[in-house]
Amino acid sequence: MQKRSEQTRQALVSAAARIIADGRPADAGLVNICNTAGVSRGALYHHFSSTAELTAAVYGQARARTTTLAEEAFEGPAESAAARFCSSLCTALRDEELVRAGTQLAADGGTGPPRLRDDALDLVRRHLASAGGELAELADLAVVVTAGLESLGRSDGTWWEPRTSERIWDLLRPLFGPRAPARGGGAVGAAGRAASCQD
């Protein structure tokens, strides 16, 4: 009996995620969720006290997934971690309704800030800031690129393709790599490398 109850609960979470993923959180009303999940209103209220509690469960599962993506991305070399996270997040946005829905939601199941999208971007910033040095200086650039790809993908899915993310990060990689020696023997900072990339 417990297994069937958990299956019903997960079916409701999946149904809400499916509705929100390619629509709007406002579309995840009681009737739409129950119809999509194939359950009665009573079943929904048996598992959740409200649709807001249900969408908060969507947020919770999506947050766990994005946290895992970030942890995996930041296990490797710090200079390529932001690119790895951005690529894996874009792939998850493309392939996983749960992540696509969750990024539009706040912890309380509403749509006000901070949403999971904001939390994921803050995670990138904090990881890069903790790396220190030049990577900390480039944290805002990594956030802007990740946010841009997340937003653009909502209207054109090609922005969430791994090759798109990889192409953009290949252009930015010189900024995130080890410092190159300057002509005068010193080190070139992020601004100097950015200028040299434009030459």
Side-chain angles (χ1 to χ4, degrees), residues 149-198:
L149 289 171
E150 186 272 340
S151 295
L152 289 166
R154 295 207 177 269
S155 59
D156 180 354
T158 58
W159 290 101
W160 289 342
E161 292 295 326
R163 68 181 178 273
T164 303
S165 175
E166 290 164 10
R167 182 174 45 84
I168 290 169
W169 282 99
D170 282 346
L171 293 170
L172 295 173
R173 200 164 317 280
L175 296 174
F176 287 83
R179 290 178 178 236
R183 291 181 192 147
V188 176
R193 282 201 312 278
S196 67
C197 287
Q198 294 171 359

Side-chain angles (χ1 to χ4, degrees), residues 85-174:
F85 176 67
C86 184
S87 180
S88 62
L89 178 63
C90 286
T91 300
L93 285 163
R94 182 194 66 190
D95 297 343
E96 302 173 32
E97 291 173 330
L98 181 70
V99 174
R100 218 165 39 250
T103 56
Q104 300 180 63
L105 298 171
D108 65 359
T111 57
R115 294 176 298 155
L116 179 56
R117 174 189 192 271
D118 306 319
D119 295 341
L121 296 173
D122 187 54
L123 197 57
V124 171
R125 182 180 286 115
R126 281 187 287 126
H127 273 289
L128 290 175
S130 70
E134 205 165 68
L135 288 179
E137 294 172 17
L138 293 167
D140 288 338
L141 176 60
V143 167
V144 167
V145 171
T146 305
L149 289 171
E150 186 272 340
S151 295
L152 289 166
R154 295 207 177 269
S155 59
D156 180 354
T158 58
W159 290 101
W160 289 342
E161 292 295 326
R163 68 181 178 273
T164 303
S165 175
E166 290 164 10
R167 182 174 45 84
I168 290 169
W169 282 99
D170 282 346
L171 293 170
L172 295 173
R173 200 164 317 280

Side-chain angles (χ1 to χ4, degrees), residues 52-102:
E53 185 180 324
L54 172 55
T55 54
V58 172
Y59 167 92
Q61 289 185 18
R63 181 178 174 91
R65 177 71 175 123
T66 56
T67 300
T68 298
L69 294 174
E71 287 171 357
E72 290 170 354
F74 284 92
E75 282 176 358
E79 61 273 1
S80 58
R84 286 192 305 273
F85 176 67
C86 184
S87 180
S88 62
L89 178 63
C90 286
T91 300
L93 285 163
R94 182 194 66 190
D95 297 343
E96 302 173 32
E97 291 173 330
L98 181 70
V99 174
R100 218 165 39 250

